[in-house]
Amino acid sequence: MAWQINRSRYGHRRAPAWQTGLVTLLSGVETGHVVHFYDHEDNLARAAADFLGAGLAKEAPALVVATPSHAAAIAAVLEAGGIDVASARAAQLYLELDAQDLLSHFTIDGAIDPALFHATVPPVIDGLRGRAVQPVRAYGEMVDLLWRQGNVQAAHDLEILWNSIGAGRDFGLFCGYSSTVVEGAVSGGRREVADHHHAVVSEPEADQDGEASRRFEPTLFAAGAARRFVREILDSWDLAPLMPEAELVVSELATNAAVHAANRFTVALTRLGDGRVRLDVTDSAKSRPTVQRAEPTATHGRGLRIVSAIAEEWSVRGRPTGKTVSAILAARPRPN
């Protein structure tokens, strides 16, 4: 039987993704079929967690179909970004399946059996969706496994079947492919893979020497996760004396971002030299924070007052999509 790509779920496209050069930022992807070509496995974990975490923060169910090592790496990045993965699992919002095991349920003699696929995969997605208000977000690398095994035709067949079930379901699918495998196996492999998807997502930015950043989800755990991130980076830079002040500042700014922006935010650290560090918190809220006069018995309203008292200097910069609050911190001499 000749299988054709069903594009009705994702709308009309003027040209394949590889022809238009369409690159989508992960933060804007909620539903549809997207692909990420990764060069390093740590970038894969960050990209997949970025996609899944944005949904989990809104209680959107997440499905991870990956090798055990990749699944563990993705969960670790989610935890670092403020997502309580254990609670999500317990609430049946987070499901991990072994990619090779799931693939074996609908593969016969190296070929994908469409009937077995439809009997296996859609029930998993529908079961996760349940009564959830938000669409399911799924990460899958069964196609990558097939490419690694040299079974390119099966990989293409599987992508077509994913599109066929996407036509009738409201869910987002993120596929991960090793750039080395795809480009080395078949000439034009990358563009052929991209043509099965409505977008190619961008590679996460790598941390540079003296600079580090991490994106966080607006959850109850975000401030704690941001503090851990700051501790890790300052420790790696041998700037432990800055930790108490930096943790307090990032805790206040991260809490403000999670509460007021109610969207993902980014914490960035830049090493300035002379034992000084700039700490930036960027969120999507355009309202500019101000130092407030808080009553002695008030339980909130002291955030920027604390920041201004601790930081050597601080500022707020408007951005087209929100704002960045910056604080420059310097180690203070400790009393004897």
Side-chain angles (χ1 to χ4, degrees):
M1 178 181 294
W3 291 88
Q4 299 297 321
I5 298 177
N6 188 332
R7 305 189 193 279
S8 60
R9 165 66 179 83
Y10 307 113
H12 175 69
R13 295 187 301 172
R14 296 180 182 177
W18 62 269
Q19 287 185 355
T20 62
L22 177 61
V23 176
T24 301
L25 295 177
L26 281 173
S27 58
V29 177
E30 292 188 2
T31 60
H33 192 183
V34 299
V35 61
H36 170 62
F37 298 104
Y38 65 92
D39 295 323
H40 304 286
E41 295 200 351
D42 56 344
N43 285 340
L44 169 66
R46 291 172 60 193
D50 199 19
F51 174 73
L52 299 171
L56 286 166
K58 303 175 185 177
E59 298 189 348
L63 171 64
V64 177
V65 183
T67 63
S69 61
H70 285 175
I74 292 168
V77 176
L78 286 169
E79 289 277 1
I83 296 293
D84 188 340
V85 175
S87 294
R89 289 191 186 106
Q92 298 183 337
L93 285 174
Y94 193 78
L95 176 62
E96 295 155 303
L97 298 176
D98 185 288
Q100 190 61 61
D101 179 67
L102 184 61
L103 191 59
S104 69
H105 282 72
F106 51 83
T107 304
I108 299 177
D109 296 330
I112 303 297
D113 185 293
L116 290 177
F117 172 86
H118 283 285
T120 303
V121 176
V124 173
I125 296 170
D126 295 341
L128 258 181
R129 178 63 191 263
R131 299 176 183 177
V133 176
Q134 299 292 330
V136 173
R137 295 189 180 212
Y139 164 73
E141 56 186 39
M142 292 185 289
V143 284
D144 187 42
L145 289 179
L146 291 169
W147 271 84
R148 290 176 182 275
Q149 295 163 7
N151 197 346
V152 174
Q153 183 57 55
H156 286 304
D157 292 342
L158 183 53
E159 290 285 20
I160 292 170
L161 287 171
W162 273 117
N163 280 330
S164 72
I165 64 172
R169 288 171 181 81
D170 191 22
F171 79 99
L173 175 61
F174 177 96
C175 295
Y177 281 85
S178 165
S179 293
T180 302
V181 172
V182 172
E183 293 171 355
V186 177
S187 177
R190 181 187 285 255
R191 71 168 181 263
E192 291 177 2
V193 169
D195 195 29
H196 291 300
H197 303 80
H198 88 274
V200 178
V201 299
S202 61
E203 183 82 359
E205 293 184 7
D207 294 337
Q208 305 296 320
D209 289 341
E211 298 180 6
S213 65
R214 182 172 294 171
R215 183 174 288 174
F216 298 87
E217 304 299 339
T219 70
L220 295 174
F221 310 96
R227 288 193 297 271
R228 288 193 297 274
F229 166 67
V230 166
R231 285 199 303 270
E232 292 170 5
I233 298 303
L234 292 180
D235 184 58
S236 71
W237 289 348
D238 293 324
L239 291 174
L242 278 178
M243 284 186 189
E245 288 83 1
E247 286 185 62
L248 187 53
V249 168
V250 78
S251 184
E252 295 295 338
L253 296 181
T255 299
N256 285 343
V259 171
H260 298 298
N263 208 332
R264 49 176 44 180
F265 61 93
T266 300
V267 175
L269 290 170
T270 302
R271 191 169 187 171
L272 302 177
D274 299 325
R276 298 161 69 242
V277 165
R278 188 180 72 242
L279 191 157
D280 299 318
V281 176
T282 302
D283 62 47
S284 61
K286 294 188 177 181
S287 57
R288 299 174 69 87
T290 57
V291 177
Q292 300 179 16
R293 182 186 179 93
E295 297 298 326
T297 57
T299 58
H300 62 278
R302 296 188 179 89
L304 284 183
R305 188 172 293 276
I306 291 173
V307 172
S308 64
I310 293 176
E312 192 174 74
E313 60 181 88
W314 71 279
S315 62
V316 182
R317 304 190 307 277
R319 301 164 60 91
T321 57
K323 68 177 181 302
T324 296
V325 182
S326 301
I328 294 180
L329 306 173
R332 300 182 179 185
R334 302 292 179 187
N336 293 328

